Each structure stands twice: as C-alpha cells, then as structure tokens.
C-alpha cells in the first residue's frame, strides 16, 4: 500500500509539473509514513508542503488539494483522501485491500515478504574474519550474527549473496601463536620453557600442545616454530568453523590474506601510490600521504622491519573484491576499525576505483550481565569470554535474537538472565510463543472442521482484526527498511508488534467459538497469515519458529 501511495503522489507531482515549467517533480523528497491515530487515516504524506517550498507557494493546503485531486488508485485500495493541518495529505486504506491481503499472504506462504530489489545483483558480505589465533569471542559473535542476518536480508531482497571470511595465517601474531604452543609443549615434557613476550596464554594453547605431543610424541621439542603454528592454525580454525556452525552461520568463501602477497596485490598498491606521489619513505618505513586524499594524518603502510601494517593488505583486499565484479560489498567491523576503514576506502578511491557500492557496518562492543551486574564467563578455553561459552549458556536462538535486537550503533549489554527466561519479558520467547500459540490453534480438531466453510474475508471488520492485518501487511516494507539501513533490529521490533497484535486479536476475537462458521473460518485464515509472518521474520533472523513451547 505504501508503494501504491508513493506512486500516486509521484504521478500527481508530474501532473503539477505540466502547469509549472521549470518545476522538477523528482526534486520533491517527500515521505509517506503510517499515522499515529486511526482518525487521521492509515498513511500521511508531507509531499504538498515540500513541493510548496520548491515552488515558493504559500498556500500549502491549497497545493495539497490540487495534488490529492490528481491522485488515482486501483479499485478497493484507498477509500478516502483528506487534507489536514498545514498541508498534510492523509490516506484511508479501504478495508477490502487489507482483507484481500490475508489470502495473498497465505497463498505466498514461505515466500511472503520476499522482494525483487536485487534482481540477481551480486553482493559480497564479509564478516567475522578472525585470524586463527584463538576461539571466537562474544564480540565475534555479534559480528557473526549481524553479518549473517544482513546476508539473509539481501537474499530475501532478491540478491545473489556470497558470504566471505577473510583471514591471515601468517605474520607476527601467528608466529607468536606457534611459539606459545611450542613453549607449552616443552612444559608438558618437563623441559625448560618460557612464553614469548605478548604470547598466548589461554588454556586452549595447552590443549593444542597436547595434541602435538599425541601425534609426534616427545620428538619435536626443538622443532621449528612452523610445525606448532600449523597445528594451532588447523585446530583453531576447526573450532572456529564448529562454533559458526553451532550459530547457524556458513561461509561460501574463505579468503587468505597470503593470496595478496602471492599474486602481487600488496606490492601493486604501494607501487600505484608511489606513482601518484601518495607514498613516501621516512625512518626506514613507507608512509601514506593522508592530506591529499582527505585524511588528517599520514599512516604507516610498511614498518621499518619491512612488515606491512594491517591496513595495507586491507587496501589490496578491497581492490580484489571490486575486481571480482560485485554490485555491492558489505563489510562488518567493530567500531574500533573506523579509522582504518576510512584510510582503506580513501586509498581505493585515490587509485581510481569507486567505493559507492561499499558499505561498512560498524558495531559497538558487547558486555555480559546477569541480573544487572556485569559478569565475565569462566572458561578454561581463554582468559576472555568465548562465543562457545555463551552458546552453552543460552543457546543459539537467544544469541542470534539478542545480538540482532540492538542497533549496531548501540553498545550491547547481553542480559544472560533475561535471555534464559521462559517468560514473556524475554523478547525472543514472546515472539516464538506467539508463533507456537497460533500453531496450537491450527492443530485443533475444531480448526480442521472450519476448513470446509466458505472463506469470506469481508467478515474481518473489527478493530483488532484490522490491526493484525495492518501489521502483517508491513512485512515487505520492514524488510526493505532493514535492508536499506543494514539494521536487523528493525525486524525484531516488528516481530514483537505482530505478536502483540495477534495476542490482542486472539483475546478479543474468538476463532474456534466464533458467532458463525464463516466468521471462524475468516479468523482462522487471519491467524494462519500471522503465523506465516512470524515464521518468515524468524527465518530472516536465523531463529527457529517452534510449533510447541
């Protein structure tokens, strides 16, 4: 319906342009929003007031009347158009439009809500991308959920999505990892040992050292660090993949940073920057000239040791992704990456590539609390909170739902106690219970008996019935908004609104004990439509839709 109204407004603005030479109707950036009060209709637009400003017209209400009179709608779509206040145009949706929608939802079933925005465009979503130096943390968990749900939204929007994991299994941190495992291996043998400065101390290091001893016995105490590094990489990556699988996250591509060294991508960036006089040597290091490309400082690209800083491979990596021909590229990073993101994109632009199709989702950090008190989860795996420990405590559904429930821009306080509750105050439980409650009604023998009654959706005329239909009708719009803004939390808020509307409807509008079989049949169809909406939203979030609770 919102799309129908927007199209009618645009058509009326083009009519206005025929009488006002020089007026560009496409310059009118109007909005169409749901109204807060039923007496003001269902939707309202500020199009007349915005157009009046463009035209320099003082009589905004008069202009609103002109626009409204030029609007046309399909039969049974809009019952009335009103002018209100200083020039708002209010639209009253015909009940028949919503009533017909119930049957459309049940017919579409698992496809209801899907959009064709992408028309097959290719999207690369890169997320998690943790180097294999330790178990995934709670912070990685927020990254994983955001990335996977954003990928799901693109799929529901009609895009061809590639989920990509970028990692580095070389460099100083990986050498430290190997040396840490070797030190613990020597400790297991009762030999002298010492962790390298800044080495890895988690209990998982000892576990890996034990696995090396199980395979090689006591024969590699003086072996090369690379043997221990490889063992650690394989063990940790296997665990990372297992954790992702527990969370319902899969990847289509694993891209190793080492590829960029092997194919010359990193050297190519430095050479191209030098050719444009955007890189210079100082104190044995290679620096980027920041000011010419809009940066407020000159960051180091290659250290005096000859080792690139992490931003340089990222520059080469993004040029690689661009060359692979994706229509959109999405990066999911922690908020601490904001400066690096700006540097990477500035260099990519300076070297001649457009970054208009690259979108970075930055998320704030996570703390865990129980009963309002911040906690640290105890685990021998590491001296930080692991994602596996969180999954053990609250399960994958709660981890996914709660991480999707907050705007990426907001700090996340993950309430362990709330996430574990089997009660309505748990937002996930509330939505899942709404779905299960509908399933319970649909399973009843009385519901099966109503299936043969003729379907007359015009009987759905009460305020509670209409309110539930209106909520169900919003799914395509909510998906579109969540996708445009890369904000999954819009869907969790919407799911709660649909659940609330169903509970009100169920309490006020008897289904199995309706005044007539025809009315019961119509209400049963509406309950079925609400179930489809809740299930499809939960599927978008990667959360199960239980039929019994």
């Amino acid at each position: 319906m919102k799309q129908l109204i927007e199209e009618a407004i645009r058509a009326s603005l083009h009519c206005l342009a025929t009488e006002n030479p020089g007026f560009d109707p496409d310059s009118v950036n109007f909005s169409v929003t749901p109204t807060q009060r039923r007496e003001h209709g269902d939707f309202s637009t500020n199009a007349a007031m915005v157009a009046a400003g463009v035209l320099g017209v003082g009589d905004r209400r008069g202009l609103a009347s002109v626009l409204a009179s030029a609007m046309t709608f399909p039969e049974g779509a809009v019952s009335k158009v009103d002018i209100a206040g200083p020039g708002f145009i209010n639209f009253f949706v015909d009940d028949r439009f919503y009533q017909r929608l119930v049957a459309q939802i049940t017919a579409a079933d698992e496809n209801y809500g899907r959009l064709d925005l992408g028309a097959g465009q290719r999207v690369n979503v890169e997320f998690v991308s943790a180097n294999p130096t330790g178990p995934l943390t709670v912070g990685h968990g927020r990254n994983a959920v955001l990335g996977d749900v954003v990928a799901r939204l693109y799929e529901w929007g009609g895009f061809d999505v590639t989920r990509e994991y970028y990692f580095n299994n070389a460099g100083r941190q990986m050498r430290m990892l190997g040396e840490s495992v070797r030190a613990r291996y020597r400790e297991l043998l009762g030999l002298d040992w010492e962790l390298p400065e800044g080495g890895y101390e988690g209990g998982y290091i000892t576990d890996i050292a034990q696995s090396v001893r199980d395979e090689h016995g006591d024969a590699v105490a003086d072996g090369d660090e690379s043997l221990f590094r490889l063992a650690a990489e394989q063990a940790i990556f296997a665990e990372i993949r297992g954790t992702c699988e527990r969370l319902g996250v899969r990847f289509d591509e694993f891209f190793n940073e080492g590829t960029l060294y092997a194919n010359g991508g990193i050297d190519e960036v430095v050479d191209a920057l030098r050719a444009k006089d955007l890189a210079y040597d100082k104190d044995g290091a290679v620096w980027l000239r920041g000011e010419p490309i809009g940066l407020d400082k000159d960051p180091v690209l290659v250290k005096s040791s000859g080792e690139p800083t992490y931003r340089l491979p990222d520059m080469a990596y993004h040029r690689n992704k661009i060359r692979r021909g994706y229509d959109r590229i999405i990066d999911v990073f922690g908020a601490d990456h904001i400066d690096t993101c700006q540097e990477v994109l500035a260099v990519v632009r300076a070297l001649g590539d457009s970054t208009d199709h690259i979108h970075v989702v930055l998320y704030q950090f996570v703390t865990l609390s129980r009963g309002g008190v911040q906690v640290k989860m105890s685990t021998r795996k590491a001296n930080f909170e692991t994602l596996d420990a969180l999954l053990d405590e609250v399960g994958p559904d709660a981890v996914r739902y709660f991480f999707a429930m907050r705007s990426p821009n907001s700090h996340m306080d993950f309430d362990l106690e709330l996430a574990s509750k089997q009660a309505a105050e748990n937002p996930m439980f509330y939505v899942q219970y709404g779905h299960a409650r509908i399933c319970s009604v649909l399973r009843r023998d009385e519901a099966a008996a109503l299936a043969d009654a003729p379907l007359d959706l015009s009987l759905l005329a009460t305020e509670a019935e209409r309110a539930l239909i209106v909520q169900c009708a919003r799914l395509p719009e909510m998906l579109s908004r969540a996708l445009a803004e890369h904000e999954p939390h819009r869907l969790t808020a919407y799911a709660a609104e649909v659940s609330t509307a169903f509970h009100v409807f169920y309490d006020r509008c008897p289904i199995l004990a309706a005044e007539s079989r025809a009315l019961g049949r119509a209400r049963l169809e509406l309950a079925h439509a609400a179930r489809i909406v809740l299930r499809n939203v939960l599927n978008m979030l990667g959360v199960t839709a239980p039929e019994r609770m």
Side-chain angles (χ1 to χ4, degrees), residues 18-167:
T18 63
E19 301 174 4
N20 295 271
F23 170 62
D24 179 8
D26 295 327
S27 69
V28 181
N29 296 315
F30 64 88
S31 62
V32 175
T33 57
T35 57
Q36 298 298 314
R37 297 170 62 179
R38 181 73 180 90
E39 58 266 30
H40 294 160
D42 296 279
F43 294 92
S44 181
T45 183
N46 62 349
M49 293 182 288
V50 177
V54 174
L55 287 165
V57 174
D59 184 7
R60 296 180 293 179
R61 283 183 63 92
L63 185 58
S65 296
V66 171
L67 291 176
S69 64
M71 295 180 193
T72 59
F73 298 94
E75 174 67 24
V78 174
S79 59
K80 185 171 67 170
V81 180
D82 264 356
I83 312 303
F88 288 104
I89 305 175
N90 293 338
F91 303 87
F92 293 75
V93 178
D94 194 309
D95 285 345
R96 289 173 294 174
F97 175 85
Y98 285 131
Q99 290 160 352
R100 289 194 299 267
L101 185 64
V102 175
Q104 293 169 12
I105 293 172
T106 56
D109 202 358
E110 69 271 10
N111 290 317
Y112 177 63
R114 291 190 182 276
L115 304 172
D116 193 26
L117 296 173
Q121 291 183 64
R122 297 173 63 234
V123 179
N124 180 290
V125 183
E126 183 229 326
F127 59 111
V128 182
S129 296
N131 291 337
T133 57
L136 294 182
T137 67
V138 168
H140 291 132
R142 188 174 196 190
N143 186 313
V145 171
L146 284 173
D148 188 59
V149 176
V150 165
R152 287 169 180 263
L153 297 184
Y154 270 105
E155 288 170 338
W156 276 79
F159 293 82
D160 179 10
V161 178
T162 296
R163 292 166 169 82
E164 185 154 309
Y165 188 119
Y166 171 74
F167 70 98

Side-chain angles (χ1 to χ4, degrees), residues 141-424:
R142 188 174 196 190
N143 186 313
V145 171
L146 284 173
D148 188 59
V149 176
V150 165
R152 287 169 180 263
L153 297 184
Y154 270 105
E155 288 170 338
W156 276 79
F159 293 82
D160 179 10
V161 178
T162 296
R163 292 166 169 82
E164 185 154 309
Y165 188 119
Y166 171 74
F167 70 98
N168 180 21
N169 62 353
R172 178 177 178 276
Q173 292 303 317
M174 292 300 293
R175 289 195 300 274
M176 288 287 230
L177 178 67
E179 291 171 4
S180 300
V181 173
R182 180 169 58 185
R184 293 300 185 186
Y185 173 85
R186 291 180 63 85
E187 180 187 21
L188 291 172
L189 299 184
L191 302 175
D192 61 296
W193 65 279
E194 183 179 357
L195 278 176
E197 184 177 353
Y200 293 86
E201 301 182 21
Y204 69 100
I205 298 296
T206 301
D207 292 341
I208 296 169
Q210 183 60 57
S211 70
V212 174
R213 188 181 185 188
D214 292 341
E215 181 177 353
H216 296 281
D218 301 349
V220 292
D222 297 315
D224 187 81
E225 164 269 331
S226 61
L227 180 150
F228 296 91
R229 177 178 7 123
L230 179 60
E233 176 191 338
Q234 293 174 340
I236 292 171
F237 231 132
E239 183 170 350
I240 286 174
R241 290 192 188 211
T243 303
C244 288
E245 288 173 3
R246 289 185 68 191
L247 193 56
V249 173
R250 62 171 178 83
F251 291 94
D252 304 300
E253 298 286 344
F254 287 86
F255 191 101
N256 190 342
E257 183 181 307
T259 303
L260 302 170
Y261 291 87
N263 66 16
I266 291 176
D267 291 337
E268 183 182 310
V269 170
V270 176
D271 292 343
L273 289 171
R274 287 190 186 279
K276 291 178 175 289
D277 194 29
L278 292 174
Y280 64 94
D281 299 309
K282 177 184 175 183
D283 299 330
V286 181
W287 298 70
L288 172 68
R289 293 190 195 280
E291 185 177 356
I293 60 175
L295 303 177
D296 57 8
K297 62 180 181 179
D298 291 4
V300 176
L301 295 175
V302 183
K303 302 174 187 177
S304 57
S305 64
E307 183 179 18
T309 57
Y310 58 86
R311 58 175 61 82
L312 179 54
D314 280 355
M315 295 166 184
Y317 174 52
H318 278 77
R319 297 187 82 201
N320 177 283
K321 283 198 283 191
I322 290 171
R323 290 171 182 176
R324 282 187 264 158
Y326 291 106
D327 298 288
R328 301 191 189 189
I329 295 172
I330 314 300
D331 297 327
V332 184
F333 295 139
D336 58 332
H337 283 68
I338 185 168
D339 289 339
T340 303
C341 292
Q342 292 171 348
E343 293 167 4
V344 168
L345 296 182
V347 165
V348 170
R349 286 191 295 269
L351 297 183
D353 288 310
S354 172
T355 60
D356 292 344
H357 62 313
I358 299 177
H359 184 90
V360 180
V361 179
L362 292 171
Y363 64 92
Q364 298 295 325
F365 296 105
V366 183
T367 56
L368 303 174
S369 67
R370 184 177 283 109
V373 179
Q374 187 172 337
V375 299
K376 287 191 176 294
M377 304 184 76
S378 176
T379 170
R380 75 173 304 276
K381 281 288 186 184
N383 54 5
F384 45 80
E385 293 88 353
T386 67
L387 179 55
D388 272 317
L390 181 60
L391 288 167
D392 288 342
E393 176 151 347
V394 302
D397 273 354
V399 170
R400 291 189 68 104
Y401 198 94
F402 273 64
F403 276 144
M405 197 170 61
R406 294 285 179 264
S407 166
N409 298 320
S410 301
H411 169 79
M412 176 77 202
D413 179 16
F414 196 110
D415 189 330
L416 297 166
E417 186 175 288
L418 179 62
S420 301
K421 277 188 176 179
Q422 301 290 301

